[in-house]
Amino acid sequence: GFAGASAHGLVRPRLNSRGEAEARAEAQALSPSRTLSRTTQAQAQAASMESSEAPTRSGGCLCGGVAYVGRGVPGVQECHCSLCNRWCGGPFNAVLFPAGVEITKDDTLSWYASSAWAQRGFCTTCGSDLFWKSGDAMAAALGTLDDYSDLPGPMKQHIFWDQK
């Protein structure tokens, strides 16, 4: 069941204790300090301070109603938690930018509070799954990048693998 809309207009689902623990673990696992295996926390902080000089990548939804720019050398991971599987029909291929994500167009962007700790952003027109965020941490869906052909593969970082 759902608890209804919050003060911010976000729908918050009621979670059982397993769902709450999973959502909390997901928020911790997707935080930049835990996910960027090739980038240390100090490097990520330095990249944030130099975000105007950091390399950028653009992306957006299928219809063009939502667009964003990610800053810094992206880290890529795949989340297998049950919430991500339900959200996007399989593991969530997340791109994390150490210097942050700037949403440059949000005409059709909406946020869904999938747990008490995280929100998921999607386009209300075309239905594209775009973002996962918790606090200051935000990840973009890999397939929403305009070009991801040069990102390292195969996927090396998986979280919640045991929940497959």
Side-chain angles (χ1 to χ4, degrees):
F2 292 91
S6 72
H8 302 290
L10 298 170
V11 176
R12 296 198 181 277
R14 287 196 183 122
L15 299 173
N16 60 28
S17 60
R18 181 172 183 258
E20 289 175 6
E22 183 177 287
R24 185 178 304 114
E26 175 190 31
Q28 290 173 346
L30 279 173
S31 73
S33 63
R34 292 182 177 235
T35 56
L36 298 177
S37 59
R38 293 186 184 164
T39 305
T40 66
Q41 223 173 344
Q43 288 169 324
Q45 288 172 346
S48 292
M49 291 168 43
E50 301 170 2
S51 64
S52 62
E53 299 173 16
T56 62
R57 289 183 184 261
S58 60
C61 69
L62 184 61
C63 71
V66 179
Y68 67 91
V69 174
R71 300 189 189 290
V73 177
V76 180
Q77 75 177 21
E78 193 169 80
C79 182
H80 298 267
C81 79
S82 64
L83 295 174
C84 283
N85 277 293
R86 283 189 172 239
W87 175 45
C88 58
F92 177 51
N93 294 304
V95 180
L96 299 119
F97 294 94
V101 175
E102 176 187 356
I103 297 172
T104 57
K105 185 177 182 185
D106 64 358
D107 296 350
T108 58
L109 178 62
S110 188
W111 292 94
Y112 171 72
S114 57
S115 68
W117 299 272
Q119 300 173 2
R120 296 167 192 270
F122 62 97
C123 175
T124 58
T125 298
C126 66
S128 293
D129 300 323
L130 294 157
F131 307 109
W132 175 97
K133 74 176 179 177
S134 180
D136 293 336
M138 185 157 74
L142 176 65
T144 64
L145 287 172
D146 293 336
D147 181 15
Y148 55 89
S149 61
D150 64 329
L151 291 179
M155 188 73 62
K156 292 185 179 178
Q157 188 168 19
H158 296 264
I159 60 174
F160 297 103
W161 182 258
D162 59 335
Q163 294 182 17
K164 270 181 69 170

